[in-house]
Amino acid sequence: MKTITQLLSSLVLLLFIGCSSTQSLQEYYVDSAENPNFISLDLPASILNLEAADLTESQQTAVQSLRKLNVLAFRKTASNAMEYEVEKGKVNAIMKNKDFKELMKLNSEYGKGYVKYLGEEDAIDEVIIYGNSDDKGFALVRVLGKDMNPAYLVQLMQAIQKSDYKGEGLGEIGQFLKG
């Protein structure tokens, strides 16, 4: 009887440890920020300088729902190609969580990616934009806001295009994204 109790206790402990082994996206950002292969920035929404642009009412609503951007990019080199594959695998494992809902897939000459979100369809809390290129690396952008709407993404993109934003304040990330 004692052996069965110990066995069941061990099994429950292993099950608990096994279920919590997947890293959250926030934990991944924090853990990767100190890695020299990553470039990490937390940007306020104001950096996009959208207040000065001539925006429609729906674009203004979209901008007001935006709070900040967390950007994490892995620059691939010949010397870190193995680590790139490992890190790309970690991101893909995290993003397979059923809480992330797919909004769209991206496929261009620059690479592949997707846009996912957390929250409800009409009240999105977080949008995650992931893109990778086997030549350059990958970028992961968390767009944090309050009650964002999927239609806001299109409005935000149009607002950014209307503004004169040229990537000021992005530093190394801007250079990475340019290629």
Side-chain angles (χ1 to χ4, degrees):
M1 181 70 171
K2 187 177 180 181
T3 306
I4 293 174
T5 304
Q6 288 176 337
L7 183 60
L8 284 174
S9 296
S10 297
L11 185 61
V12 168
L13 181 64
L14 283 173
L15 195 59
F16 178 73
I17 291 170
C19 289
S20 63
S21 65
T22 303
Q23 191 176 34
S24 75
L25 189 58
Q26 178 65 31
E27 290 170 335
Y28 183 75
Y29 266 80
V30 171
D31 291 348
S32 301
E34 299 300 318
N35 184 326
N37 289 312
F38 283 94
I39 302 166
S40 174
L41 286 174
D42 291 330
L43 305 168
S46 62
I47 195 167
L48 298 175
N49 197 25
L50 297 174
E51 297 80 25
D54 182 28
L55 304 178
T56 66
E57 188 175 326
S58 60
Q59 289 169 340
Q60 289 173 357
T61 302
V63 169
Q64 290 169 357
S65 72
L66 187 63
R67 289 190 179 162
K68 71 176 182 175
L69 304 153
N70 299 131
V71 182
L72 185 68
F74 185 100
R75 185 186 300 262
K76 183 181 176 188
T77 63
S79 62
N80 68 9
M82 294 286 286
E83 187 178 352
Y84 165 75
E85 293 299 330
V86 169
E87 295 300 328
K88 190 169 82 167
K90 286 180 185 179
V91 171
N92 286 326
I94 292 168
M95 297 308 294
K96 285 182 182 176
N97 183 324
K98 64 179 173 51
D99 293 337
F100 292 106
K101 298 167 187 102
E102 189 166 298
L103 195 56
M104 69 179 79
K105 289 187 179 191
L106 309 169
N107 192 5
S108 74
E109 63 185 276
Y110 304 109
K112 295 181 180 182
Y114 47 78
V115 179
K116 294 189 176 193
Y117 69 92
L118 288 172
E120 300 303 316
E121 287 183 20
D122 58 346
I124 295 174
D125 298 317
E126 182 175 335
V127 174
I128 298 92
I129 304 165
Y130 171 77
N132 75 64
S133 163
D134 287 332
D135 296 336
K136 296 180 183 176
F138 66 81
L140 191 59
V141 180
R142 292 175 68 209
V143 181
L144 303 172
K146 182 176 181 179
D147 295 335
M148 292 186 292
N149 185 300
Y152 288 178
L153 284 178
V154 174
Q155 297 296 326
L156 282 170
M157 297 308 272
Q158 290 173 347
I160 290 169
Q161 287 175 345
K162 272 188 176 180
S163 76
D164 290 330
Y165 185 67
K166 304 286 187 236
E168 302 89 351
L170 292 179
E172 290 181 73
I173 293 282
Q175 294 302 317
F176 173 77
L177 295 175
K178 287 179 185 174

